Amino acid sequence: QVIKCKAAVLWEANKPFSIEEVEVAPPKAHEVRIKIMATGICRSDDHVVTGALVMPFPIILGHEAAGVVESIGEGVTSVKPGDKVIPLFVPQCGECNSCLSTKGNLCSKTDLASGAGLMPDGTTRFTCKGKAIHHFIGTSTFTEYTVVHESAVAKIDSAAPLEKVCLIGCGFSTGYGAAVQTAKVEPGSTCAIFGLGGVGLSVVMGCKAAGASRIIAVDINSDKFAKAKELGATDCVNPKDFKKPIHEVLMEMTGQGVDYSFEVIGRTETMTAALACCQYNYGISVIVGVPPAAQNITFDPMLLFTGRTWKGSVFGGWKSKDSVPKLVADYMKKKFVLDPLITHTLPFIKINEGFDLLRTGK
């Protein structure tokens, strides 16, 4: 039956979240209703608040979480009630071209591109005060209960601490995978990471795990440098300390530029700088930050003509349903740490304070 619970509803852009009682409909065929136990706050959620990522309102945001299956719709076979799970904002239907390809991971069932804010069948499972509330990229985790399609949920180790592995639902996997999966960083290489939030720090961890010998962390907030060094950065650079453009600074530091660069902010200026600072012939630059809506990049095509590769990465290039359980298993085997990525733990009703901390770089 319908569950009444608390959710953080965003009624319109540039307003605080409103904690409301919502009704969550039962799962239809091939859907799963999840009790959310822990959710992270990601800059992509904030991009919707500011309008940089265009989505329909009212909406329940959140996409980085972990929980327990409450009930399942008919035909669901991969999870059962009581299972610990992570919702997947990049689903894995197993049937579309990207899912069938060994090269791709961006399932055609994702709501990232269309931004419809609805379940795959074109309807919503949330109502509040008699109004239909939109879903966010197939997950909507800022609520005590959510409904996702079966292709958008992964069963994980029942012993996993949900308040930590929820980061595998977005931030950690996105950054770590951008390094090891998308860029395929090689041992002994030099890397530059622009942006040292949770995702950027996860890129640092991925570069270190891949054996990079030099990892240059770039951020305009020097408070981020201690943690970046703790996780593997060898150099930290604040662009504000220099008169010249940051790509020139990095070129001078490295001689020929870096082998791999990562833009983990979502700003067009830094995307071009990251491209320009990588080696002119075989450098690879990866865009990890969500690009702002309605902004274009103008750059000198000679940057690419000489041989550089410019690519994007969503969810770290991982095939979600296959990879998330394995990443959780790796965490349980202590192959990587997640604690340094967690700065604060707040009760759900303080979600607006959490976003204030995000916006002030804390």
Side-chain angles (χ1 to χ4, degrees):
Q1 59 258 39
V2 172
I3 287 180
K4 287 186 176 179
C5 68
K6 279 199 200 81
V9 177
L10 192 66
W11 292 99
E12 53 185 306
N14 295 302
K15 289 272 164 53
F17 292 87
S18 176
I19 300 286
E20 307 275 8
E21 183 180 80
V22 298
E23 289 90 46
V24 184
K28 295 188 184 177
H30 300 289
E31 294 177 359
V32 179
R33 190 159 59 181
I34 303 167
K35 180 176 188 175
I36 299 289
M37 308 301 285
T39 183
I41 290 175
C42 173
R43 181 66 77 177
S44 306
D45 301 307
D46 191 46
H47 283 331
V48 180
V49 180
T50 62
L53 183 57
V54 180
M55 291 284 163
F57 295 101
I59 191 167
I60 293 173
L61 295 176
H63 62 282
E64 177 183 89
V68 176
V69 174
E70 176 270 335
S71 59
I72 57 175
E74 95 189 58
V76 171
T77 54
S78 60
V79 296
K80 62 185 188 305
D83 284 350
K84 282 191 180 179
V85 291
I86 287 178
L88 310 169
F89 71 90
V90 173
Q92 187 183 345
C93 72
E95 292 159 9
C96 69
N97 285 353
S98 289
C99 284
L100 293 172
S101 160
T102 55
K103 300 173 186 170
N105 77 316
L106 200 53
C107 175
S108 66
K109 292 252 170 35
T110 175
D111 188 36
L112 276 172
S114 67
L118 299 166
M119 293 293 286
D121 71 352
T123 61
T124 171
R125 302 291 164 271
F126 298 118
T127 43
C128 179
K129 300 178 180 169
K131 287 200 178 89
I133 308 292
H134 291 91
H135 292 248
F136 179 52
I137 52 178
T139 47
S140 288
T141 64
F142 293 165
T143 168
E144 293 175 315
Y145 289 87
T146 192
V147 177
V148 304
H149 192 269
E150 185 181 15
S151 63
V153 63
K155 179 182 174 178
I156 59 165
D157 183 340
S158 62
L162 298 184
E163 74 286 358
K164 304 208 194 293
V165 298
C166 62
L167 297 180
I168 292 173
C170 177
F172 173 76
S173 307
T174 296
Y176 191 78
V180 302
Q181 212 34 32
T182 306
K184 298 191 165 48
V185 170
E186 293 175 311
S189 59
T190 301
C191 303
I193 297 101
F194 290 70
L196 300 173
V199 183
L201 291 170
S202 301
V203 177
V204 171
M205 288 158 72
C207 292
K208 186 178 181 193
S213 59
R214 196 167 183 199
I215 301 170
I216 306 169
V218 183
D219 202 297
I220 54 172
N221 178 356
S222 298
D223 295 346
K224 307 254 182 183
F225 292 165
K227 193 160 272 185
K229 288 209 156 139
E230 177 195 330
L231 293 173
T234 54
D235 307 72
C236 293
V237 180
N238 188 330
K240 289 180 166 172
D241 294 343
F242 300 88
K243 290 272 191 292
K244 62 180 70 163
I246 185 63
H247 71 272
E248 290 181 17
V249 174
L250 293 166
M251 278 289 184
E252 281 177 16
M253 284 175 69
T254 55
Q256 279 226 317
V258 300
D259 298 303
Y260 304 95
S261 66
F262 301 86
E263 200 280 354
V264 205
I265 303 162
R267 290 178 52 117
T268 52
E269 302 85 353
T270 33
M271 289 172 187
T272 323
L275 178 67
C277 81
C278 72
Q279 209 275 351
Y280 72 97
N281 181 211
Y282 51 78
I284 294 175
S285 187
V286 183
I287 294 176
V288 188
V290 176
Q295 279 195 27
N296 292 331
I297 293 185
T298 307
F299 70 102
D300 178 356
M302 185 57 83
L303 285 169
L304 291 179
F305 175 73
T306 54
R308 287 180 180 89
T309 303
W310 209 359
K311 58 203 307 191
S313 177
V314 177
F315 196 58
W318 303 109
K319 286 197 187 284
S320 58
K321 214 166 157 99
D322 293 344
S323 304
V324 162
K326 292 180 186 155
L327 286 164
V328 171
D330 283 349
Y331 170 73
M332 299 299 281
K333 290 179 198 142
K334 299 192 164 47
K335 287 195 181 169
F336 54 82
V337 293
L338 291 172
D339 280 33
L341 302 177
I342 302 169
T343 56
H344 300 75
T345 304
L346 299 169
F348 183 38
I349 51 168
K350 293 198 173 174
I351 188 164
N352 286 307
E353 289 176 37
F355 273 85
D356 290 340
L357 290 165
L358 173 79
R359 291 167 190 140
T360 53
K362 298 192 170 76

